[in-house]
Amino acid sequence: MYDDDVRPGRNDECWCGSGKKYKKCHLGFDERLEDARGQGYEVPPRSLLKSPADIEGIKKSAAINIGVLDYVAERIGEGISTAEIDRWVRDYTVEHGGVPADLNYEGYPYSVCTSIDDVVCHGMPSEDDVLRAGSIVNVDCSTILDGYYSDSSRMFCIGDVSEERLRLVEETRRAMEAGLAAVKPWGFLGDVGAAVNEHAKRCGYSVVREFGGHGIGFGFHEDPFVSHVAEAGTGMVLVPGLVFTIEPMINAGAADIDMSDPNGWTVRTADGSDTAQWEVQAVVTDDGYELLSW
């Protein structure tokens, strides 16, 4: 088998749990992946692929994650501290039966990341960080429900922002959407990154290379890594059941980043320029993709 695991017999029950015979379920699918591997392409192991039941579990988790960001959207504004946003996310998630995936992940002490202006990612909530008119902020949260993980983030403009900042926020969203539109079954993951990077460069922006999207569902961060500066026609083959995030971090200035913050988490643009990010979670389907969290 393409993932070096055991192949079922033709009349055995399929490995996917459908209850169907292998020959009537994933036999043709597996043969196609074996052929791709034989041509030198990177293919996902079966352990990464989500069944219809798994997708339903992820959707229930995502319903909380989407609800959290909707809740934030209704309340965020000038004078709100990022620590208050953290409390909103924690309380909403727990009250709806979930667990904030960020909280205590590799020692991270908060339930959300709040990244303001020149903060690329992993901005840590603080009572001292009070949102001011003219700022842009990314709110990034993740949810665990019944063992399934969801993840998404949104940008928020606080009060009246400059035309430059508004354009950065909107074009970053369009770059993410360009990447999403490139998700095609039996295409390549590199097509996603190439589409993101092409849009960003056309707008005069740069794309952060060190951070990207990731597989997700059974765990917080799974394979594959989703580069947003990849070349088309490269990377893992996109097959139905593969779930991952698209979350480009796009800088108004250079792509270089500064990871020297003493807290060990917060990442900034090296040149102090503004940055923006949107994140969605999607699953590859037989005819395209389905959004799971946004």
Side-chain angles (χ1 to χ4, degrees):
M1 285 288 281
Y2 54 87
D3 59 3
D4 299 320
D5 206 342
V6 177
R7 176 199 288 274
R10 290 177 57 85
N11 292 309
D12 291 341
E13 184 176 329
C14 188
W15 56 261
C16 72
S18 67
K20 298 178 182 179
K21 290 184 177 181
Y22 180 53
K23 65 184 180 183
K24 293 185 177 296
C25 195
H26 271 84
L27 176 58
F29 178 96
D30 288 347
E31 288 177 342
R32 189 167 183 178
L33 278 179
E34 285 186 335
D35 182 62
R37 186 189 185 191
Q39 295 181 58
Y41 296 120
E42 180 185 1
V43 299
R46 285 173 286 178
S47 60
L48 288 182
L49 303 182
K50 279 67 178 178
S51 69
D54 295 326
I55 298 302
E56 288 307 308
I58 294 171
K59 286 180 178 179
K60 291 177 182 177
S61 174
I64 298 175
N65 213 66
I66 295 165
V68 168
L69 290 172
D70 288 345
Y71 186 92
V72 170
E74 292 170 358
R75 291 161 177 79
I76 197 169
E78 186 177 3
I80 297 295
S81 73
T82 54
E84 189 166 1
I85 296 173
D86 181 63
R87 288 190 289 272
W88 290 346
V89 170
R90 182 190 64 232
D91 293 348
Y92 184 101
T93 303
V94 171
E95 287 169 5
H96 288 78
V99 175
D102 289 10
L103 186 60
N104 298 320
Y105 178 75
E106 295 187 352
Y108 186 77
Y110 300 102
S111 298
V112 66
C113 294
T114 50
S115 302
I116 305 171
D117 297 342
D118 68 333
V119 176
V120 174
C121 60
H122 305 158
M124 299 180 79
S126 170
E127 296 288 0
D128 296 329
D129 284 334
V130 178
L131 299 178
R132 304 184 185 283
S135 281
I136 55 175
V137 57
N138 177 268
V139 178
D140 186 350
C141 59
S142 308
T143 301
I144 311 168
L145 180 69
D146 298 329
Y148 290 107
Y149 288 73
S150 56
D151 190 9
S152 50
S153 79
R154 300 180 197 172
M155 291 298 299
F156 297 98
C157 296
I158 308 303
D160 293 327
V161 303
S162 67
E163 291 184 6
E164 291 79 10
R165 283 183 166 173
L166 181 60
R167 178 174 180 266
L168 175 63
V169 168
E170 288 301 311
E171 294 300 344
T172 298
R173 179 179 57 79
R174 293 189 179 105
M176 177 273 293
E177 291 171 344
L180 190 59
V183 176
K184 309 288 185 184
W186 305 100
F188 296 94
L189 191 57
D191 301 342
V192 175
V196 169
N197 196 33
E198 179 181 354
H199 184 91
K201 288 171 64 177
R202 189 163 59 243
C203 294
Y205 300 139
S206 62
V207 182
V208 171
R209 296 175 175 271
E210 293 85 348
F211 295 92
H214 51 89
I216 183 171
F218 301 140
F220 196 172
H221 292 90
E222 303 172 347
D223 288 334
F225 173 74
V226 182
S227 170
H228 298 114
V229 293
E231 295 183 9
T234 67
M236 185 175 283
V237 177
L238 298 176
V239 300
L242 188 65
V243 177
F244 54 89
T245 66
I246 301 173
E247 47 180 303
M249 303 164 198
I250 295 181
N251 299 343
D256 305 292
I257 59 174
D258 178 358
M259 300 178 65
S260 64
D261 194 291
N263 68 28
W265 285 95
T266 301
V267 180
R268 293 180 171 82
T269 56
D271 59 9
S273 62
D274 290 327
T275 184
Q277 178 192 20
W278 293 85
E279 177 183 10
V280 294
Q281 179 181 3
V283 58
V284 183
T285 64
D286 290 330
D287 55 4
Y289 66 86
E290 181 180 3
L291 272 180
L292 301 177
S293 190
W294 58 86

